[in-house]
């Protein structure tokens, strides 16, 4: 019997992964005009690349004046939060294929903070609110010879809120913050939560009083925008609710 032979499979033609995507970017340069405008850029990009890669292609190959913040490019530093297709996201964590590249991808600065240029906003009010809640461990006396001990259960209490990277995606997605920049905002409350519920910390009462202010935690209207926006998956609204409850019960 003749030995069957395997037909050599034809190698599939090389298919380029690149597609052309329109980036519709909000441009603003106060030295040129008081008005912001939209500008379209055609970018050759692999759908598996990120929005940040597209912005880099624009800046490096098409228009070096495009201004935006980024540093780590891996979802750690929190510097590239922006509104992408109307939602707050990190450009470095948003894949082109996940946001319908067949339509123009809109990219705007986050809302509620003054735009300085293109996608760069003034983060100072955001960081001032962060500083106001004293985001550091406060203890009195009894210096340990080694470390301050804490049980796994006590550590678990604030584990979620330790993940914050201060990107401002939550605060700048909050309608209360848009209407009145005086509100501390979700990120400051998240970072207060991280210390209020830390069993080693001794300034919980002080932080609660800071957030009991008219611009504090009671301004939250529980819209959940902040939880939806958080690129770290922090249950922001839940943390805010826990701080509210601690203010009522004084137990934390
Ligand atoms: S809570 Fe989440 S969205 Fe808000 S600043 Fe921290 S990481 Fe960003
Ligand atoms: S560039 Fe650091 S989080 Fe995106």
């Amino acid at each position: 019997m003749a030995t069957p032979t395997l037909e050599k499979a034809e190698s599939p033609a090389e298919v380029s992964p690149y597609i052309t995507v329109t980036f519709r970017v909000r441009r603003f340069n106060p030295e040129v005009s008081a008005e912001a405008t939209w500008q379209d850029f055609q970018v050759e990009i692999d759908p598996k690349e990120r929005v940040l890669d597209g912005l880099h292609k624009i800046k490096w190959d098409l228009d070096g004046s495009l201004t935006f913040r980024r540093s780590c490019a891996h979802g750690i530093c929190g510097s590239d939060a922006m509104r992408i297709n109307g939602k707050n996201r990190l450009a470095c964590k948003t894949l082109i294929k996940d946001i319908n590249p067949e339509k123009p991808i809109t990219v705007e600065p986050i809302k509620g903070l003054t735009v300085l240029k293109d996608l760069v906003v003034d983060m100072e009010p955001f960081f001032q609110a962060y500083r106001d809640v004293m985001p550091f461990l406060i203890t009195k006396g009894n210096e340990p010879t080694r470390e301050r001990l804490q049980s796994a259960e006590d550590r678990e209490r604030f584990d979620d809120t330790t993940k914050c990277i201060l990107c401002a995606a939550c605060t700048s997605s909050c309608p209360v913050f848009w209407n009145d920049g005086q509100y501390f905002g979700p990120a400051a409350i998240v970072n207060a939560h991280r210390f209020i519920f830390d069993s080693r910390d001794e300034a919980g009462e002080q932080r609660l009083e800071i957030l009991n202010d008219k611009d504090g935690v009671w301004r939250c209207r529980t819209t959940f925008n902040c939880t939806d926006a958080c690129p770290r998956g922090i249950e922001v609204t839940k943390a805010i609710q826990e701080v509210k409850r601690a203010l009522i019960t004084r137990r934390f």
Side-chain angles (χ1 to χ4, degrees):
M1 189 196 252
T3 311
T5 55
L6 284 177
E7 300 251 321
K8 193 177 172 200
E10 277 182 27
S11 63
E14 284 284 313
V15 179
S16 167
Y18 287 85
I19 57 173
T20 304
V21 172
T22 302
F23 276 67
R24 185 159 292 164
V25 185
R26 194 77 172 155
R27 303 297 307 268
F28 174 65
N29 182 348
E31 292 176 4
V32 172
S33 167
E35 298 295 319
T37 53
W38 290 100
Q39 186 174 5
D40 283 2
F41 297 94
Q42 306 300 316
V43 178
E44 297 288 308
I45 196 162
D46 183 332
K48 295 192 290 302
E49 291 185 280
R50 294 105 21 110
V51 169
L52 182 63
D53 298 311
L55 292 174
H56 278 150
K57 286 173 201 273
I58 296 170
K59 184 163 183 72
W60 294 336
D61 300 336
L62 302 174
D63 185 344
S65 71
L66 180 65
T67 307
F68 53 94
R69 288 193 181 103
R70 82 288 193 206
S71 181
C72 71
H74 291 284
I76 300 299
C77 73
S79 63
D80 64 339
M82 47 190 81
R83 273 167 75 82
I84 299 169
N85 283 355
K87 286 182 70 173
N88 281 7
R89 313 172 200 242
L90 294 181
C92 66
K93 282 191 74 180
T94 307
L95 297 182
I96 299 293
K97 69 182 176 62
D98 292 339
I99 50 168
N100 189 9
E102 283 161 22
K103 288 190 178 166
I105 295 171
T106 60
V107 186
E108 306 165 72
I110 48 177
K111 287 175 71 174
L113 293 160
T114 304
V115 181
L116 300 177
K117 187 167 187 285
D118 294 338
L119 305 173
V120 173
V121 297
D122 178 6
M123 294 287 282
E124 183 49 30
F126 173 82
F127 284 118
Q128 185 57 55
Y130 172 65
R131 287 191 289 268
D132 285 349
V133 300
M134 304 186 298
F136 38 82
L137 194 73
I138 298 176
T139 59
K140 298 190 254 341
N142 301 323
E143 284 289 311
T145 50
R146 294 186 63 193
E147 71 267 46
R148 295 181 191 278
L149 296 176
Q150 184 169 59
S151 70
E153 292 73 30
D154 283 345
R155 175 63 176 71
E156 178 65 27
R157 189 73 191 80
F158 61 96
D159 187 61
D160 199 32
T161 46
T162 63
K163 295 184 292 188
C164 179
I165 55 171
L166 295 171
C167 68
C170 56
T171 295
S172 62
S173 71
C174 174
V176 178
F177 186 76
W178 298 337
N179 291 336
D180 179 358
Q182 299 305 307
Y183 172 41
F184 274 81
I189 302 170
V190 159
N191 284 281
H193 178 287
R194 182 255 171 271
F195 289 99
I196 289 168
F197 293 96
D198 187 330
S199 59
R200 301 163 301 177
D201 187 82
E202 294 172 53
E205 283 287 351
Q206 250 175 291
R207 291 194 189 85
L208 285 176
E209 275 318 312
I210 290 166
L211 292 174
N212 207 12
D213 185 84
K214 66 178 173 40
D215 297 319
V217 75
W218 305 111
R219 300 290 301 277
C220 170
R221 292 289 172 267
T222 330
T223 58
F224 283 89
N225 283 18
C226 50
T227 301
D228 291 343
C230 180
R232 302 284 294 165
I234 297 171
E235 293 186 87
V236 181
T237 313
K238 182 176 169 213
I240 296 173
Q241 293 304 105
E242 288 179 353
V243 172
K244 285 181 180 173
R245 204 171 308 124
L247 259 168
I248 294 168
T249 63
R250 296 289 164 165
R251 284 214 306 272
F252 47 89

